[in-house]
Amino acid sequence: MKTYVRHLGDYKWEGIPLLAYKEDGGTHFKSITRQVLSECSENFPTELRYFEVAPGGHSTLEKHQHVHMVLIGRGSGHCLVRDEVHELKFMDAVMIPPMTWHQFRATGTEPLGFLCMVKCERDRPQRPTEDDLKMLRSNPTAANFIRV
Amino acid sequence: MKTYVRHLGDYKWEGIPLLAYKEDGGTHFKSITRQVLSECSENFPTELRYFEVAPGGHSTLEKHQHVHMVLIGRGSGHCLVRDEVHELKFMDAVMIPPMTWHQFRATGTEPLGFLCMVKCERDRPQRPTEDDLKMLRSNPTAANFIRV
């Protein structure tokens, strides 16, 4: 285990690779990168990731059983949690409850960077079916917000 | 579960109480506060805390089986991990391996604030015995650093 990882500035860390947001690719997200800062073990069953969404980009609209704990690191943007949209700025905290639709978007002119904690053993995210989208779009707030 | 917690500025959060560092008191730490940002559950077995050490203050010198994952939020300071001392600044990451002596100190004129993640079900920290202190003090770096 590496005990010390230097922040190089600008939310890059020494020896931490800049990864694709999701390994499987797809068109259900846009302009987003991932860095993994932690190491899963029995003594630390948590993954700490730093995501950064470029202006105009967004994470996947999804839900899952595991909880997300998010802390905003830099920039600004908005997120949808169930049917509420929150404005996001430095150190705001967002908790995504189980099986709750959510999406993060960099809605301004600056990137949206955030820390996201999840448990290491977790279920796969589910993307919305056509019926789910119909339901989501019945709410004007969500209808205006979501990108799929 | 509260889904959104606003950062009020200065590393204070809406509705999050400012707590004592440890419930049991003691003289083995100095000038340090705690805020708990997360909620433990089967779907999120992790506690996210924000600690802030006032200038001249320090956390307890201790070790335990569970791992600490630390990210520096504000200010500056130093930490001891086993027998190494690291200088700390914004967004540096520190991982404390199992059963490894560690201590955080706000060595400068500003507070040292850091996020610290641990698993919810964890063992109690152990403080050094006289023999442990003898061993620790045989290393000049540790000897100069530790506060007990």
Side-chain angles (χ1 to χ4, degrees):
Chain A
M1 181 184 296
K2 210 168 176 179
T3 56
Y4 174 74
V5 177
R6 189 187 311 276
H7 178 233
L8 301 171
D10 210 27
Y11 288 86
K12 303 277 189 312
W13 287 268
E14 195 167 50
I16 305 288
L18 195 65
L19 304 172
Y21 170 57
K22 290 185 176 175
E23 298 301 340
D24 57 354
T27 58
H28 43 88
F29 56 85
K30 189 180 165 193
S31 308
I32 174 166
T33 58
R34 171 173 58 105
Q35 294 173 81
V36 181
L37 291 163
S38 63
E39 209 173 288
C40 284
S41 74
E42 193 195 334
N43 292 309
F44 192 73
T46 308
E47 215 177 283
L48 170 65
R49 302 89 51 90
Y50 175 77
F51 293 107
E52 196 164 291
V53 191
H58 58 82
S59 66
T60 306
L61 173 64
E62 63 184 31
K63 65 175 182 179
H64 38 67
Q65 191 61 40
H66 62 274
V67 164
H68 276 181
M69 165 97 222
V70 166
L71 264 186
I72 306 304
R74 72 184 294 203
S76 64
H78 289 82
C79 71
L80 175 81
V81 183
R82 194 175 291 113
D83 53 5
E84 290 187 350
V85 171
H86 300 286
E87 199 180 332
L88 303 173
K89 56 173 178 41
F90 182 67
M91 283 299 135
D92 285 341
V94 184
M95 268 73 65
I96 314 289
M99 290 315 216
T100 302
W101 294 111
H102 60 281
Q103 185 166 47
F104 287 80
R105 287 178 51 201
T107 46
T109 54
E110 46 186 359
L112 172 66
F114 57 91
L115 299 160
C116 178
M117 284 142 267
V118 285
K119 65 177 188 171
C120 294
E121 288 191 19
R122 57 188 183 271
D123 58 321
R124 285 182 72 86
Q126 298 171 28
R127 290 174 52 207
T129 63
E130 283 306 314
D131 279 353
D132 291 329
L133 286 175
K134 206 175 288 179
M135 182 275 294
L136 278 159
R137 286 177 175 140
S138 68
N139 176 296
T141 305
N144 281 329
F145 189 82
I146 59 174
R147 298 289 181 273
V148 287
Chain B
M1 184 185 296
K2 211 169 177 179
T3 55
Y4 175 74
V5 176
R6 189 187 311 276
H7 178 233
L8 301 171
D10 209 26
Y11 289 85
K12 302 278 188 312
W13 287 267
E14 195 166 50
I16 305 289
L18 195 65
L19 304 172
Y21 170 55
K22 290 185 175 175
E23 299 299 342
D24 58 354
T27 57
H28 44 87
F29 56 85
K30 190 180 165 194
S31 308
I32 173 165
T33 58
R34 171 173 61 107
Q35 294 173 81
V36 181
L37 292 163
S38 64
E39 208 174 289
C40 284
S41 74
E42 192 194 336
N43 291 309
F44 192 73
T46 307
E47 215 177 283
L48 171 64
R49 301 91 50 90
Y50 174 77
F51 293 106
E52 198 164 289
V53 191
H58 58 82
S59 67
T60 305
L61 173 64
E62 61 184 34
K63 66 176 182 178
H64 37 69
Q65 191 61 38
H66 63 274
V67 164
H68 275 181
M69 165 96 220
V70 166
L71 264 185
I72 307 305
R74 70 184 297 203
S76 64
H78 290 80
C79 71
L80 174 82
V81 183
R82 193 173 291 117
D83 54 3
E84 290 187 350
V85 172
H86 301 286
E87 198 181 332
L88 304 173
K89 57 171 176 44
F90 183 67
M91 283 299 135
D92 285 340
V94 183
M95 269 74 65
I96 314 290
M99 290 316 220
T100 302
W101 294 111
H102 59 283
Q103 184 166 46
F104 287 79
R105 287 179 49 202
T107 45
T109 55
E110 47 185 1
L112 172 66
F114 56 91
L115 299 161
C116 177
M117 286 142 266
V118 285
K119 66 177 188 171
C120 294
E121 288 190 20
R122 58 188 182 272
D123 58 321
R124 286 183 71 87
Q126 299 171 30
R127 292 174 51 208
T129 62
E130 283 304 315
D131 277 355
D132 291 329
L133 286 175
K134 205 175 289 179
M135 183 275 294
L136 278 159
R137 285 177 174 140
S138 70
N139 176 296
T141 305
N144 280 328
F145 189 81
I146 58 173
R147 297 290 180 271
V148 289

